[in-house]
């Protein structure tokens, strides 16, 4: 398996809904190839690929695993990805490293929401696609229904290359439509038994003939001259023509091959592996990468070394691991490359091939292959490594994390360890963003959803020994005034010796959208010039403390226009205190209100959910701005505005309302006066906290 030629490498990413059997397909391929001594399974925690404690606990894939599978003279890099929406960022990044996306679909449930989302992403990436209909031995499985659903969802380019012999409990094997053979994997055996289709009952022979005709219709389009003869009815595709054109048709997306089988009993797996090696695109012929300067490059082992980092992992035992797709040349231990983002040299200490959690050192890796390099501590997902550092592959735009939660260490002594862990987590997963809100003094995790946050907390506890808790995200409310007012601020204190005396008259006026303005209108030295800045400072401090509910005040013009002082007792502290007193006295007369932040949103949903979404947003005090047709058929884009407090956790609610199919963008944009009931709750909560000494 050391440094195979690009023509003998196949990079296949397994994608689709959780529960469809992606990991079990990879495990079956490993076992059939002889790479593993047993069939790994996820339900009992004995999977070779889902080895992370959180994956074992939750029984689904969280992070991409690689299964490098030797088959005949080929190396099949199977990239097993998560089908959970919270981990879609990792899946999308992994798809960049493959030439073929193999969608795994359950024979009973059909293509689900995540299947559709990832299908559109694969189309945008111009990835070749194939489908494996799994679990055809399940009760209620129906191949024709599954194919009809696939055609309805993804178009007429899908063509069956295998069909089942029986289905449900009667499933026994598959018919290879390309070679017109019946294939059976015997229980306890190590290879398939292959027979001619003629040995099957007439029913299956007829089904095979119909499926082959449909496949030939699609494949013939790969050759213009042959297509004309085929349409004229003067010529049919020969076996040789079908096999010679199929890889071209797949690469040109003229045909999307559909396989069927059952990974649990390993039916249809060995034939799939043969077709992967025979007909699926190899890196040099079909690999293409978009550069940051809009130039497209292809895999080429004759050019200087270059590699693209599509994933990083922080392993608690071996440290940082970087997953690389080799774009050009070849890599070997000791090679120095330059990171295009940082400009720093990175030395490749080891080149490894991963199989789940097991790493094996290799002497080199050629263009087109996928390898792992440890201890590249400054390399992030999306970086490009090259000889000069001048090459930069355009990283894939990832979805914005819109699920915010605030986190704090249980023990203040562990705040630094918490910060270090979160920084590493954000580097390893670009769909996690960590911010510090200086207004609310909270550390905020912006994630894709609840499951991603739960996983992060579990790893924080297990890997760093830090106990942390989630607390509600504080909404950045503001306070302001609605009318002008004047008041005196007078501070006098005598305690023996020098006392404190400050006296100022303030005038407040609202200035919407302009922040804060301080004006000095003192005449005749009523307050010495040297003490005027203390008045300004006292007002600013009072604005930070708020008046109604402890939120910072904004959009106020403050004018100091009169006052008095004492030649001995007046000082900066006294006038700061006087200004604070005067400011609060003004606020009592100035119609103080609370402002709440508003969000501008665009929600993309299927037409059948549009009414539900528009009805829901009205219950959140939101308003519809407009609607547009979506990019995909049957989609609607709803433009709306709503109070941020009402949609801060919209990710969870939208998934529930649309069965996981909806998506949205959100931008904080402007403030509006909070209604009376909201203001009352905020004031009561503030007063209760003060009474409790908080």
């Amino acid at each position: 398996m050391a440094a195979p030629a690009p023509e003998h490498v196949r990079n296949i990413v397994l994608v689709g809904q959780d529960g469809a059997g992606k990991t079990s397909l990879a495990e079956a391929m490993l076992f059939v190839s002889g790479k593993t001594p047993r069939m790994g399974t996820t339900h009992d925690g004995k999977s070779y690929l889902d080895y992370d404690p959180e994956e074992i606990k939750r029984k689904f894939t969280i992070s991409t695993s690689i299964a490098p599978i030797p088959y005949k003279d080929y190396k099949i890099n199977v990239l097993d990805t998560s089908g959970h929406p919270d981990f879609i960022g990792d899946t999308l990044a992994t798809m960049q490293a493959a030439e073929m996306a193999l969608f795994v679909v359950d024979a009973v449930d059909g293509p689900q929401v995540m299947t559709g989302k990832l299908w559109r992403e694969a189309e945008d990436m111009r990835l070749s696609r194939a489908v494996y209909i799994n679990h055809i031995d399940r009760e209620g499985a129906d191949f024709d229904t599954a194919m009809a659903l696939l055609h309805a969802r993804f178009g007429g380019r899908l063509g069956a290359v295998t069909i089942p012999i029986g289905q449900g409990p009667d499933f026994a094997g598959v018919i290879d439509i390309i070679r017109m053979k019946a294939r059976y994997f015997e229980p306890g055996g190590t290879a398939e038994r292959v027979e001619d289709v003629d040995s099957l009952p007439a029913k299956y022979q007829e089904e095979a003939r119909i499926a082959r005709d449909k496949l030939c219709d699609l494949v013939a389009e790969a050759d213009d001259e042959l297509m004309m003869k085929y349409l004229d009815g003067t010529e049919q595709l020969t076996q040789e023509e079908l096999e010679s054109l199929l890889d071209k048709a797949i690469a040109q997306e003229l045909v999307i091959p559909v396989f069927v089988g059952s990974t649990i009993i390993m039916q249809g797996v060995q034939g799939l592996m043969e077709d992967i090696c025979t007909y699926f695109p190899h890196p040099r012929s079909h690999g293409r990468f978009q550069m940051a300067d809009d130039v497209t490059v292809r895999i080429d082992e004759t050019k200087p070394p270059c590699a693209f980092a599509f994933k990083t992992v922080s392993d608690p035992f071996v440290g940082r691991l970087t997953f690389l797709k080799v774009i050009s040349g070849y890599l070997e231990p000791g090679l120095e490359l330059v990171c295009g983002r940082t400009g720093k040299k990175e030395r490749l200490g080891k080149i490894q091939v991963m199989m789940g959690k097991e790493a094996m050192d290799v002497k080199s890796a050629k263009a087109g292959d996928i390898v792992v390099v440890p201890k590249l501590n400054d390399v992030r997902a999306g970086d490009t490594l090259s000889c000069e550092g001048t090459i930069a592959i355009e990283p894939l735009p990832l979805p914005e994390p819109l699920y915010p939660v605030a986190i704090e260490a249980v023990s203040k002594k562990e705040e630094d360890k918490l910060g270090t862990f979160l920084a590493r987590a954000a580097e390893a997963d670009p769909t996690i963003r960590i911010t510090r809100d200086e207004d609310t003094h909270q550390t905020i995790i912006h994630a894709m959803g609840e499951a991603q946050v739960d996983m992060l907390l579990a790893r924080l506890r297990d890997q760093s020994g830090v106990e942390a808790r989630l607390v509600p995200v504080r909404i950045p409310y503001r306070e302001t005034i609605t009318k002008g007012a004047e008041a005196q601020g007078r501070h006098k204190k005598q305690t023996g010796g020098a006392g404190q005396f400050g006296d100022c008259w303030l005038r407040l006026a609202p200035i919407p959208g302009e922040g804060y303005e301080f004006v000095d209108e003192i005449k005749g030295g009523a307050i010495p010039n040297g003490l005027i800045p203390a008045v300004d400072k006292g007002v600013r401090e009072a604005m930070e403390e708020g008046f109604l509910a402890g939120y910072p005040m904004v959009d106020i013009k403050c004018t100091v226009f009169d006052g008095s002082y004492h030649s001995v007792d007046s000082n900066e502290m006294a006038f700061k205190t006087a200004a604070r007193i005067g400011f609060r006295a003004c606020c009592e007369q100035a119609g103080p209100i609370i402002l709440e932040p508003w969000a501008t949103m665009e929600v993309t949903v299927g037409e059948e959910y549009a009414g539900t979404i528009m009805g829901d947003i009205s219950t959140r005090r939101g308003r519809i701005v407009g609607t547009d047709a979506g990019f995909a058929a049957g989609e609607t884009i709803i433009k709306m505005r709503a109070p941020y407090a009402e949609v801060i956790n919209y990710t969870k609610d939208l998934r529930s309302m649309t069965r996981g199919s909806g998506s949205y963008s959100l931008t904080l944009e402007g403030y509006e006066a909070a209604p009376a009931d909201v203001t009352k709750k905020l004031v009561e909560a503030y007063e209760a906290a003060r009474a409790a000494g908080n």
Side-chain angles (χ1 to χ4, degrees), residues 54-370:
E54 286 302 303
E55 292 176 320
I56 295 171
K57 172 185 172 183
R58 299 170 188 271
K59 293 182 170 57
F60 66 76
T61 301
I62 292 174
S63 180
T64 297
S65 286
I66 300 182
I69 300 172
Y71 191 75
K72 297 183 178 178
D73 295 330
Y74 294 86
K75 178 187 179 187
I76 306 173
N77 287 317
V78 174
L79 304 163
D80 179 34
T81 67
S82 177
H84 193 289
D86 283 11
F87 306 104
I88 191 173
D90 187 71
T91 298
L92 294 177
T94 301
M95 289 169 71
Q96 284 186 287
E99 284 77 48
M100 169 66 82
L102 180 55
F103 286 80
V104 183
V105 173
D106 186 87
V108 176
D109 299 331
Q112 301 293 296
V113 170
M114 274 296 287
T115 310
K117 284 186 177 181
L118 294 171
W119 190 278
R120 290 193 293 272
E121 295 289 349
E123 283 183 319
D124 291 343
M125 294 183 199
R126 297 306 303 271
L127 274 179
S128 297
R129 277 150 285 148
V131 178
Y132 183 85
I133 299 176
N134 194 19
H135 303 150
I136 195 66
D137 56 336
R138 276 185 63 189
E139 190 74 44
D142 187 282
F143 179 74
D144 290 338
T145 300
M147 283 296 293
L149 289 170
L150 287 167
H151 280 131
R153 187 74 60 87
F154 305 128
R157 290 288 170 189
L158 291 96
V161 293
T162 61
I163 62 174
I165 303 171
Q167 49 195 3
D170 298 327
F171 175 61
V174 301
I175 300 174
D176 180 341
I177 298 301
I178 301 170
R179 303 166 187 85
M180 293 300 278
K181 300 288 185 181
R183 310 179 75 122
Y184 309 88
F185 196 92
E186 302 294 346
T190 58
E192 285 184 320
R193 173 169 55 89
V194 180
E195 298 178 359
D196 288 335
V197 169
D198 294 344
S199 65
L200 294 171
K203 169 191 172 185
Y204 294 118
Q205 294 184 42
E206 178 63 14
E207 289 177 356
R209 185 191 62 76
I210 293 171
R212 185 179 173 89
D213 287 346
K214 289 180 180 178
L215 182 63
C216 288
D217 288 347
L218 296 170
V219 172
E221 294 185 42
D223 186 292
D224 292 340
E225 183 178 343
L226 188 60
M227 182 62 185
M228 294 306 298
K229 294 178 181 178
Y230 189 79
L231 290 175
D232 290 340
T234 58
E235 189 170 319
Q236 297 294 315
L237 288 190
T238 65
Q239 183 68 27
E240 181 181 355
E241 288 168 340
L242 174 61
E243 294 195 30
S244 65
L245 288 174
L246 186 54
D247 62 340
K248 185 178 178 182
I250 292 173
Q252 294 178 2
E253 301 173 50
L254 297 173
V255 60
I256 298 170
V258 180
F259 301 83
V260 68
S262 172
T263 54
I264 300 301
I265 58 176
M266 287 168 281
Q267 297 286 0
V269 175
Q270 186 166 335
L272 169 65
M273 294 167 67
E274 287 187 13
D275 286 347
I276 286 173
C277 297
T278 308
Y279 303 114
F280 282 20
H282 60 75
R284 190 161 70 174
S285 292
H286 305 289
R288 48 194 177 272
F289 284 83
Q290 188 73 30
M291 309 301 286
D293 56 5
D294 291 333
V295 175
T296 298
V297 298
R298 291 182 177 272
I299 302 296
D300 188 346
E301 73 270 31
T302 66
K303 292 185 177 180
C306 173
F308 176 69
F310 64 91
K311 178 181 175 65
T312 62
V313 173
S314 293
D315 188 282
F317 301 107
V318 300
R320 194 180 185 87
L321 300 173
T322 303
F323 291 64
L324 297 177
K325 171 72 174 282
V326 187
I327 306 302
S328 60
Y330 63 93
L331 309 183
E332 57 185 4
L335 179 67
E336 279 194 345
L337 296 174
V338 179
C339 176
R341 177 180 55 84
T342 65
K344 294 181 180 179
K345 288 185 177 180
E346 300 285 348
R347 185 177 181 276
L348 311 185
K350 290 182 178 180
I351 310 292
Q352 297 179 325
V353 172
M354 297 290 292
M355 205 288 283
K357 65 179 178 180
E358 302 297 330
M360 180 179 71
D361 293 350
V362 294
K363 295 180 180 179
S364 62
K366 288 183 180 178
D369 207 353
I370 292 173

Side-chain angles (χ1 to χ4, degrees), residues 15-82:
V15 287
Q17 195 81 19
D18 267 342
K22 298 183 299 296
T23 301
S24 64
L25 176 57
E27 298 278 5
M29 293 170 72
L30 282 167
F31 177 72
V32 170
S33 71
K35 180 73 174 177
T36 55
R38 59 171 176 82
M39 170 75 176
T41 52
T42 55
H43 68 274
D44 59 2
K46 295 182 179 179
S47 169
Y48 290 99
L49 301 178
D50 282 357
Y51 57 86
D52 183 276
E54 286 302 303
E55 292 176 320
I56 295 171
K57 172 185 172 183
R58 299 170 188 271
K59 293 182 170 57
F60 66 76
T61 301
I62 292 174
S63 180
T64 297
S65 286
I66 300 182
I69 300 172
Y71 191 75
K72 297 183 178 178
D73 295 330
Y74 294 86
K75 178 187 179 187
I76 306 173
N77 287 317
V78 174
L79 304 163
D80 179 34
T81 67
S82 177

Side-chain angles (χ1 to χ4, degrees), residues 10 22 47 82 140 172 190 250 301 349 376-377 407 451 614 647 663 689:
R10 300 290 184 271
K22 298 183 299 296
S47 169
S82 177
T190 58
I250 292 173
E301 73 270 31
L376 298 180
N377 294 324
I407 188 171
M614 288 190 280
V647 293
S663 61

Side-chain angles (χ1 to χ4, degrees), residues 235-555:
E235 189 170 319
Q236 297 294 315
L237 288 190
T238 65
Q239 183 68 27
E240 181 181 355
E241 288 168 340
L242 174 61
E243 294 195 30
S244 65
L245 288 174
L246 186 54
D247 62 340
K248 185 178 178 182
I250 292 173
Q252 294 178 2
E253 301 173 50
L254 297 173
V255 60
I256 298 170
V258 180
F259 301 83
V260 68
S262 172
T263 54
I264 300 301
I265 58 176
M266 287 168 281
Q267 297 286 0
V269 175
Q270 186 166 335
L272 169 65
M273 294 167 67
E274 287 187 13
D275 286 347
I276 286 173
C277 297
T278 308
Y279 303 114
F280 282 20
H282 60 75
R284 190 161 70 174
S285 292
H286 305 289
R288 48 194 177 272
F289 284 83
Q290 188 73 30
M291 309 301 286
D293 56 5
D294 291 333
V295 175
T296 298
V297 298
R298 291 182 177 272
I299 302 296
D300 188 346
E301 73 270 31
T302 66
K303 292 185 177 180
C306 173
F308 176 69
F310 64 91
K311 178 181 175 65
T312 62
V313 173
S314 293
D315 188 282
F317 301 107
V318 300
R320 194 180 185 87
L321 300 173
T322 303
F323 291 64
L324 297 177
K325 171 72 174 282
V326 187
I327 306 302
S328 60
Y330 63 93
L331 309 183
E332 57 185 4
L335 179 67
E336 279 194 345
L337 296 174
V338 179
C339 176
R341 177 180 55 84
T342 65
K344 294 181 180 179
K345 288 185 177 180
E346 300 285 348
R347 185 177 181 276
L348 311 185
K350 290 182 178 180
I351 310 292
Q352 297 179 325
V353 172
M354 297 290 292
M355 205 288 283
K357 65 179 178 180
E358 302 297 330
M360 180 179 71
D361 293 350
V362 294
K363 295 180 180 179
S364 62
K366 288 183 180 178
D369 207 353
I370 292 173
V371 292
V372 174
V373 177
K375 300 181 181 178
L376 298 180
N377 294 324
D378 291 328
V379 177
R380 299 178 186 173
D383 285 348
T384 307
L385 302 174
S386 62
C387 293
E388 304 295 332
T390 55
I391 299 175
I393 289 171
E394 187 70 25
L396 186 72
L398 295 175
E400 185 73 12
L402 295 172
Y403 183 81
V405 293
I407 188 171
E408 58 186 31
V410 172
S411 168
K412 292 294 182 184
K413 296 179 181 179
E414 294 186 321
E415 288 286 353
D416 289 344
K417 290 173 70 175
L418 171 63
T420 300
F421 174 86
L422 292 177
R424 286 203 311 264
E427 285 185 7
D429 186 346
T431 60
I432 294 174
R433 187 159 47 86
I434 310 298
T435 60
R436 178 70 182 176
D437 192 321
E438 296 304 329
D439 288 335
T440 63
H441 308 292
Q442 287 184 311
T443 297
I444 310 295
I445 301 171
H446 303 266
M448 297 299 295
E450 195 172 17
Q452 191 179 33
V453 174
D454 288 347
M455 179 273 296
L456 197 66
L457 286 177
R459 287 182 173 168
L460 170 66
R461 182 176 58 252
D462 296 342
Q463 296 179 11
S464 299
V466 175
E467 289 290 341
R469 58 176 166 244
L470 301 179
V471 295
V473 175
R474 299 186 190 113
I475 304 299
Y477 294 103
R478 296 288 184 266
E479 298 180 21
T480 193
I481 58 175
T482 58
K483 58 185 179 181
E486 294 181 359
Q488 181 185 25
R490 181 179 175 86
H491 173 62
K492 183 176 182 180
K493 186 176 182 181
Q494 195 72 39
T495 56
Q500 291 188 26
F501 179 82
D503 177 29
C504 60
W505 279 85
L506 303 178
R507 180 188 306 121
L508 300 187
I511 48 172
E514 296 185 30
Y516 169 68
E517 182 182 351
F518 181 78
V519 179
D520 174 10
E521 290 186 358
I522 294 295
K523 294 183 175 68
I527 300 175
N529 288 338
L531 293 176
I532 297 297
V535 177
D536 181 17
K537 192 171 183 181
V539 170
R540 289 177 184 270
E541 289 179 356
M543 288 179 65
E544 279 298 309
E545 294 173 0
F547 179 75
L548 290 173
Y551 295 104
M553 302 190 75
V554 295
D555 301 340

